[in-house]
Amino acid sequence: MKIVTIVDYGSGNVLSAQQSFIKVTNENNVESKVLISNDINDIKNSTHIVLPGQGAFSTCMSALKNTPGIIDQLHDFAF
């Protein structure tokens, strides 16, 4: 099963993103769980992560820096 975590760092329409991912996975018969979370353990246990935003990376990084431990966990996930 795919576990997709949409990282909630206070930017972007995360509910809309979640509904879109659920729709696509259902239409393609992909067994998945789509979460919205900023919990480090949820990210660690994910098979996929999504960082929603408006295209302003500096704003994204500022928000991520305000969530303890999340940047390190995203780094660990990616590598």
Side-chain angles (χ1 to χ4, degrees):
M1 174 186 333
K2 309 281 185 207
I3 301 173
V4 180
T5 299
I6 300 168
V7 180
D8 184 7
Y9 57 93
S11 180
N13 187 344
V14 292
L15 292 175
S16 177
Q18 181 186 41
Q19 292 305 311
S20 296
F21 274 89
I22 290 171
K23 180 180 180 193
V24 169
T25 57
N26 286 341
E27 288 175 351
N28 291 283
N29 298 316
V30 175
E31 186 179 348
S32 67
K33 179 178 179 182
V34 182
L35 308 170
I36 295 172
S37 181
N38 64 2
D39 184 276
I40 293 171
N41 288 318
D42 287 338
I43 295 168
K44 186 184 301 185
N45 295 321
S46 298
T47 59
H48 300 76
I49 57 171
V50 178
L51 290 171
Q54 309 299 326
F57 189 72
S58 63
T59 302
C60 169
M61 284 303 297
S62 293
L64 288 171
K65 288 176 183 177
N66 289 327
T67 306
I70 202 165
I71 292 176
D72 290 334
Q73 185 55 54
L74 292 171
H75 181 269
D76 291 348
F77 181 90
F79 296 101

